[in-house]
Amino acid sequence: MLSWPAPLLPTLPGTGPVLKLHDTSRGEVVATNPGPTARMYVCGITPYDATHLGHAATYLAFDLINRVWRDAGHAVHYVQNVTDIDDPLLERAARDHEDWVVLAMRETALFREDMTALRVLPPEDYVGAVETIPRIVGHIEDLLAEGLAYEVDDGTGDLYHDVSQAPGFGAESRYDEATMLGFFAQRGGDPDRSGKRQPLDPVLWRGERPGEPAWAGPGGTAGRPGWHIECAAIALDTIGMGFDVQGGGSDLVFPHHEYSAVHAEALTATKPFARAYVHAGMIGLDGEKMSKSRGNLVFVSKLRGEGVDPMAIRLALLSGHYRSDRPWTADLLTAAEERLVTWRRAVALDAGAPAAPLLLGLRERLTDDLDSPGAIALVDAWAERTLGGGGEIEEGSPGMVGDAVDALLGISLGDGG
Ligand code: ZN
């Protein structure tokens, strides 16, 4: 699939330190230790609705990882998928009497525009589920041949992964069985499906149902793939096993990331799928998580349509720590708009407070599990000293600070947006 255009990425003097991130599977902040090319897979959208601020916050968090790794001298191989066939997409298309393909294409195009406006570095591989189906089918056939997958004996053609044969099952989320069963039922799983060997077995292939699109599947059985095997297949095809960061919102901890890892580890008979599992918190509105099912969404495209500077949206979302569940409020956006005005006034000057200590501080804050609030506070302090006059003044420092804020935080301070 087509990705989106890359924003300019200024090169900064020197290199940043090692990035430390919270890994869900270890339950602690750990140092990432990528090779010359860092490898990251972030789960993408199901394109049945526009990008809301919860999505945006997630992709901004992983954009910071991308930027911090590049600043530390690594190349980054970033992969993101598009779940362009799944139940919610078909349900929305049916509700609106629309072709599901048209709906998916339109919402994916809008997502690209939102990511471009927010200055998110694009993935090197932006991969759709539909275009991956032949390779997904091959992987499922491999699992069947190994005796690790089975067909439910009711004529549906539905195929499941037998998790009782997956020794690593549970290692990613570290949840006990009761917790897994609860999230599985809440988040699209089918623990009560009859004919399965275990309630927690995940679907690999859903046999064709009347009125639904279908493709040639394992052993010729028509149908469509499950969501978890889609991400496992795309990651294996692009960055392989043992990549540095598997990312997404915290609602993907279980079942999605657990099962993607289990599928890939079964297919390759190696571990781990990812070296760290990193999860972004949820954005709330009026006391509830922002989600499609609740209908309490604020869309990036709607704010942009109202004339809101995308850099203010970005700054407002980064003013909270990526791992914390946090509310979106109008005040948050107003504060970000005011902060942008101040920062832009400061970087437009010819001279200001010294830039090198700020660059050091920004690198130190962001490599500490992406402390963006701490980084923003440092820029605030620099702008205050620069605009207040007095103290040590350095010619040319505002230009360098503008580059640092752009490269590390992704906030462009040129030309009022
Ligand atoms: Zn995924």
Side-chain angles (χ1 to χ4, degrees):
M1 273 195 170
L2 190 68
S3 189
W4 56 88
L8 282 177
L9 186 63
T11 306
L12 305 176
T15 51
V18 170
L19 171 62
K20 299 189 290 294
L21 289 171
H22 184 271
D23 169 26
T24 301
S25 70
R26 280 172 282 184
E28 59 184 354
V29 175
V30 297
T32 62
N33 184 25
T37 299
R39 296 173 291 158
M40 174 163 71
Y41 187 101
V42 178
C43 292
I45 57 164
T46 302
Y48 67 98
D49 212 339
T51 320
H52 61 71
L53 291 175
H55 294 137
T58 295
Y59 297 114
L60 289 176
F62 294 96
D63 188 53
L64 292 184
I65 294 176
N66 196 336
R67 289 168 180 276
V68 167
W69 270 337
R70 287 172 193 269
D71 182 54
H74 300 283
V76 180
H77 189 162
Y78 176 27
V79 182
Q80 191 179 129
N81 67 303
V82 183
T83 304
D84 55 357
I85 181 67
D86 206 359
D87 294 344
L89 183 62
L90 298 177
E91 286 160 11
R92 178 63 62 92
R95 187 197 80 178
D96 296 347
H97 307 290
E98 187 172 20
D99 185 324
W100 66 273
V101 177
V102 175
L103 172 63
M105 287 176 68
R106 186 181 64 239
E107 296 303 344
T108 304
L110 186 58
F111 178 75
R112 287 191 190 98
E113 288 173 23
D114 288 336
M115 292 298 104
T116 306
L118 292 171
R119 294 176 70 80
V120 172
L121 298 174
E124 279 60 39
D125 289 296
Y126 193 47
V127 187
V130 171
E131 63 184 317
T132 312
I133 285 174
R135 292 194 296 288
I136 295 172
V137 169
H139 288 312
I140 297 173
E141 287 174 338
D142 288 347
L143 291 175
L144 286 165
E146 295 285 328
L148 302 174
Y150 63 94
E151 180 173 350
V152 171
D153 186 20
D154 60 3
T156 56
D158 292 355
L159 303 174
Y160 284 84
H161 190 163
D162 181 350
V163 294
S164 70
Q165 298 187 64
F169 182 53
E172 182 267 334
S173 65
R174 303 187 305 145
Y175 290 153
D176 60 24
E177 190 176 350
T179 307
M180 288 184 184
L181 280 167
F183 281 132
F184 196 49
Q186 272 173 41
R187 297 173 178 168
D190 54 359
D192 301 325
R193 165 80 155 91
S194 62
K196 285 166 52 169
R197 291 180 187 166
Q198 285 83 219
L200 283 169
D201 287 350
V203 68
L204 290 163
W205 187 258
R206 177 178 155 86
E208 184 175 8
R209 303 295 198 272
E212 289 189 1
W215 291 263
T221 307
R224 55 187 168 93
W227 177 31
H228 319 306
I229 189 72
E230 166 198 336
C231 281
I234 293 171
L236 287 176
D237 283 354
T238 52
I239 47 178
M241 291 296 284
F243 58 90
D244 297 288
V245 164
Q246 159 74 304
S250 58
D251 51 351
L252 300 190
V253 171
F254 194 91
H256 184 54
H257 285 169
E258 189 77 62
Y259 287 129
S260 294
V262 159
H263 294 328
E265 289 170 2
L267 280 164
T268 59
T270 60
K271 286 185 192 184
F273 180 50
R275 295 162 75 184
Y277 296 86
V278 179
H279 294 105
M282 297 287 115
I283 301 296
L285 188 72
D286 303 328
E288 292 206 75
K289 173 191 155 186
M290 201 177 281
S291 73
K292 284 171 185 171
S293 53
R294 290 188 176 88
N296 59 342
L297 305 177
V298 178
F299 295 111
V300 173
S301 48
K302 182 151 186 298
L303 290 176
R304 291 199 292 122
E306 291 166 1
V308 174
D309 183 343
M311 291 298 93
I313 302 172
R314 183 169 177 120
L315 194 47
L317 289 170
L318 293 181
S319 67
H321 190 260
Y322 82 99
R323 276 202 286 133
S324 59
D325 293 338
R326 53 203 196 273
W328 175 261
T329 63
D331 289 351
L332 207 60
L333 187 59
T334 304
E337 286 170 331
E338 288 169 357
R339 177 173 270 139
L340 265 184
V341 169
T342 305
W343 287 11
R344 284 182 170 139
R345 274 176 53 219
V347 300
L349 298 173
D350 293 327
L358 175 62
L359 177 56
L360 197 69
L362 288 176
R363 283 172 165 157
E364 193 250 334
R365 285 297 82 233
L366 290 173
T367 52
D368 182 9
D369 197 26
L370 307 178
D371 177 13
S372 58
I376 288 169
L378 293 176
V379 182
D380 282 344
W382 175 87
E384 191 179 324
R385 282 198 300 278
T386 294
L387 292 169
E392 189 185 345
I393 290 296
E394 181 181 282
E395 202 67 31
S397 75
M400 192 180 145
V401 169
D403 281 352
V405 169
D406 188 351
L408 296 173
L409 289 170
I411 307 276
S412 169
L413 297 176
D415 304 320

